[in-house]
Amino acid sequence: MKILIALVVVALIYFLYRRFSAGSPAAPAQDATSDVTPEPSSSTAPSTSSATTQQQSSAPAPVAEVTETTQAVALSSAASQTDAAEAHKTLPLEHLVSINRSTGATLRALGVSDLASLANANTETLIAAGFEGAAANNLKAQAALSALPGVSPHELMALAASGVDSVASLAKEQPQALAARIEKSNRYFGSLKSGLGIQQLQRIIGAANATANAAA
């Protein structure tokens, strides 16, 4: 009897052991894809061809040719000089130091109405207006040089007194030599309080070159 009870107890213990061993829950398996880093989508990757296109589109526009700009400036300068040369026709005869109101009226009565026509006036007309010899030549030179823009009446007189008789001849002058001649003639005629400086003459000779080129 004792042996039977012992066998029952052993069988019960074994049964309970199997029961509890089989009933314990297993550890959940780790998701194999949880640590995998997703690869970037091809749609978000920068495109080499599109980047190149953007660089090309952002490139600065080509600069205009230097020669075209230079030609435009030259044409503009020539046009302005032509306008200045034409404008001297509207200056009154009294613009010149040598012509007062009475002399101007006499010249107009003789058919000389502006400085351009005075520069081309004949000897008889000038003699009738009271100008002869060197005085007539000086007056005609002043009228011819009045085509220069920005030259005062006294500067015109000083230039004419130094032997400059036209815009073309003035364009060929050297500033230093012309300054010496003006200083010498100015002692006699007194057309200026002082002689013309080198920088002033460079400006005037430059205007003469531009005017002569525009008229050519």
Side-chain angles (χ1 to χ4, degrees), residues 9 12 22 36 53 60 86 102 108 119 122 128 147 149 153 156 159 169 180-182 185 191 198 208:
V9 171
L12 181 60
V36 178
T53 303
E86 291 296 326
S102 175
R108 290 186 183 91
N122 57 41
L156 293 174
L159 290 168
S169 64
R181 295 210 320 268
I182 289 176
S185 65
S191 53
I198 299 299

Side-chain angles (χ1 to χ4, degrees), residues 180-212:
R181 295 210 320 268
I182 289 176
E183 184 178 359
K184 183 178 179 179
S185 65
N186 196 50
R187 296 195 197 105
Y188 179 76
F189 292 102
S191 53
L192 293 172
K193 293 182 179 180
S194 61
L196 293 177
I198 299 299
Q199 290 185 344
Q200 287 177 290
L201 289 174
Q202 286 175 337
R203 173 184 61 80
I204 293 172
I205 292 173
N209 275 284
T211 302

Side-chain angles (χ1 to χ4, degrees), residues 26-31:
Q30 186 176 4
D31 188 2

Side-chain angles (χ1 to χ4, degrees), residues 94-193:
E94 292 79 7
H95 177 73
L96 301 184
V97 177
S98 304
I99 299 179
N100 56 28
R101 183 176 298 178
S102 175
T103 308
T106 301
L107 286 168
R108 290 186 183 91
L110 293 170
V112 180
S113 58
D114 52 41
L115 294 178
S117 59
L118 177 59
N120 297 314
N122 57 41
T123 302
E124 290 76 12
T125 300
L126 294 178
I127 291 175
F131 297 94
E132 297 184 32
N137 293 332
N138 184 287
L139 185 64
K140 292 184 66 173
Q142 290 182 60
L145 293 171
S146 67
L148 296 173
V151 182
S152 72
H154 286 280
E155 289 172 337
L156 293 174
M157 187 174 184
L159 290 168
S162 69
V164 180
D165 59 359
S166 66
V167 173
S169 64
L170 178 57
K172 300 176 182 179
E173 292 283 353
Q174 295 298 322
Q176 291 81 1
L178 182 56
R181 295 210 320 268
I182 289 176
E183 184 178 359
K184 183 178 179 179
S185 65
N186 196 50
R187 296 195 197 105
Y188 179 76
F189 292 102
S191 53
L192 293 172
K193 293 182 179 180

Side-chain angles (χ1 to χ4, degrees), residues 24-69:
S24 61
Q30 186 176 4
D31 188 2
T33 62
S34 61
D35 292 337
V36 178
T37 302
E39 295 183 358
S41 174
S42 59
S43 61
T44 60
S47 173
T48 303
S49 60
S50 61
T52 304
T53 303
Q54 292 177 357
Q55 290 178 355
Q56 292 176 349
S57 63
S58 61
V63 181
E65 292 293 336
V66 176
T67 53
E68 293 181 359
T69 303

Side-chain angles (χ1 to χ4, degrees), residues 69-79:
T69 303
T70 305
Q71 290 174 355
V73 172
L75 290 173
S76 176
S77 176

